[in-house]
Amino acid sequence: MEKIVTEAIQYRRSVRVFKSDVALQDEKVKQCIQNAVLAPTSSNLQLWEFYHITDTGTLKKMTRACLGQNAAKTANQLVVVVARKDLWHQRAKANVDFLKDSIGPKPKSDYSRREKFALAYYQKVIPSIYTDFFGVLGWIRYIVFHLIGLFRPIYKQVRLSDMRIVAHKSAGLAAQNFMISMAAIGYDTCPMEGSDTGRIKGILGLPWGAEINMVIGCGVRDEQGIYSERFRVPFETVYKKV
C-alpha cells in the first residue's frame, strides 16, 4: 500500500547498502522520475535532465566515478540529476510556444495584460538575465541592479554563478520529489555528492554546459543499509517564527 506524504518523508533515509537479491521495476522508478518533473522550478524553465541507469556495465563505470561508495556499488539502479542552465534558451522558447497555443489564434492587439506580460517575460526578461559572455555581462548586471537597489527593491542575483545556483536549486527540488515518491512505494534511495563529476559527464556523454546535481542510488534497503538512528538538531534551533 502506498504511503501518504508524511509517512513517505519519515520513511525516507539515505540508504548506503541495498539488497542484492531484490530488483527494482524500471517502470515504477520511471514513474517516480515523472513525479520529479512536477517539482517547482524557477520561471518554469525546467533546467534539468534525469538519467535513469539500469545497464550493468554503465552501473560499474558509475560506481568507480562515485568513488566506490557502497550506495553506488550495491545500487540496483542509479538516477543522475543534471542541471542544464545551458538549455535556458530552448526551455524559454518552449514556454513561449505553450503560451501561444494556450492563447489561441487571435491578433496580438487582443492579448490580455497578463498574456502580454507572460510572453514578454520569456521573450525579454529571461534572455536579459540568462545571456552572458564568460560572466562579464553578469557582473555588469550585478552592479547596475545593486545601484538601482539603493532606491527600490529589485532582484539582484543576476551573475553567472547566481543563475547556476538557481538551476541547481530547481534540480534539487526535483530530486526530493523523486526520493519521496520512491519512499512512498517502498523503494529506497541515497543522494550522493561525492563523485568525479567530470567522469560522470563523460560516461553519460553530457556537454560542457551540463552540471551534475547529484547521483541517487536506488534499491531496497539492506538491514545494514542505514548506518545509525536519524539525527536532527533540535527543531527549536532551526524554527524561527517572525
Side-chain angles (χ1 to χ4, degrees):
M1 182 176 177
E2 190 165 326
K3 301 173 181 62
I4 63 173
V5 174
T6 299
E7 291 173 338
I9 291 172
Q10 292 174 344
Y11 178 81
R12 190 216 63 79
R13 296 293 305 274
S14 293
V15 176
R16 267 74 178 192
V17 181
F18 301 101
K19 290 183 177 179
S20 59
D21 58 347
V22 180
L24 302 185
Q25 295 183 37
D26 294 359
E27 194 58 33
K28 286 188 175 182
V29 177
K30 183 179 178 180
Q31 288 172 357
C32 292
I33 297 175
Q34 289 173 332
N35 286 345
V37 303
L38 299 179
T41 166
S42 179
S43 298
N44 199 35
L45 287 178
Q46 305 166 55
L47 299 175
W48 52 40
E49 286 180 336
F50 305 86
Y51 288 78
H52 181 191
I53 303 174
T54 60
D55 176 71
T56 303
T58 306
L59 286 170
K60 288 182 179 178
K61 293 178 183 177
M62 287 293 298
T63 296
R64 187 163 184 264
C66 291
L67 314 180
Q69 295 183 63
N70 283 332
K73 188 186 302 181
T74 65
N76 185 262
Q77 300 182 12
L78 292 172
V79 170
V80 184
V81 183
V82 182
R84 294 301 306 267
K85 187 188 77 67
D86 58 318
L87 295 180
W88 70 265
H89 188 271
Q90 294 94 312
R91 302 295 164 82
K93 183 180 182 302
N95 273 280
V96 170
D97 292 342
F98 172 78
L99 287 169
K100 287 183 176 179
D101 287 342
S102 300
I103 293 170
K106 63 180 180 181
K108 292 183 179 180
S109 59
D110 291 341
Y111 285 5
S112 68
R113 185 177 179 181
R114 172 181 276 184
E115 290 167 345
K116 290 178 181 177
F117 174 83
L119 287 169
Y121 183 79
Y122 287 107
Q123 293 174 323
K124 297 179 180 179
V125 177
I126 291 298
S128 71
I129 294 176
Y130 276 87
T131 300
D132 213 324
F133 183 74
F134 298 105
V136 176
L137 295 179
W139 274 104
I140 294 174
R141 287 193 299 265
Y142 180 78
I143 294 170
V144 171
F145 282 33
H146 270 71
L147 289 174
I148 296 173
L150 295 175
F151 305 98
R152 64 180 176 86
I154 190 171
Y155 185 74
K156 301 186 181 89
Q157 287 70 47
V158 291
R159 293 168 297 179
L160 179 62
S161 58
D162 295 324
M163 305 323 293
R164 288 181 59 241
I165 291 171
V166 168
H168 278 280
K169 285 195 292 186
S170 291
L173 289 170
Q176 182 71 348
N177 257 27
F178 169 71
M179 291 186 284
I180 296 302
S181 297
M182 290 281 279
I185 59 175
Y187 283 177
D188 292 294
T189 55
C190 183
M192 294 174 279
E193 286 189 302
S195 62
D196 185 328
T197 57
R199 286 182 181 273
I200 292 174
K201 288 173 66 173
I203 292 169
L204 300 178
L206 294 172
W208 179 83
E211 296 186 354
I212 305 302
N213 179 262
M214 69 180 76
V215 180
I216 303 175
C218 306
V220 173
R221 65 184 66 179
D222 183 84
E223 291 181 0
Q224 307 301 318
I226 297 176
Y227 288 174
S228 65
E229 294 294 322
R230 175 180 274 130
F231 167 72
R232 290 292 184 271
V233 297
F235 182 68
E236 293 73 19
T237 66
V238 297
Y239 175 69
K240 314 294 181 183
K241 186 175 181 179
V242 181

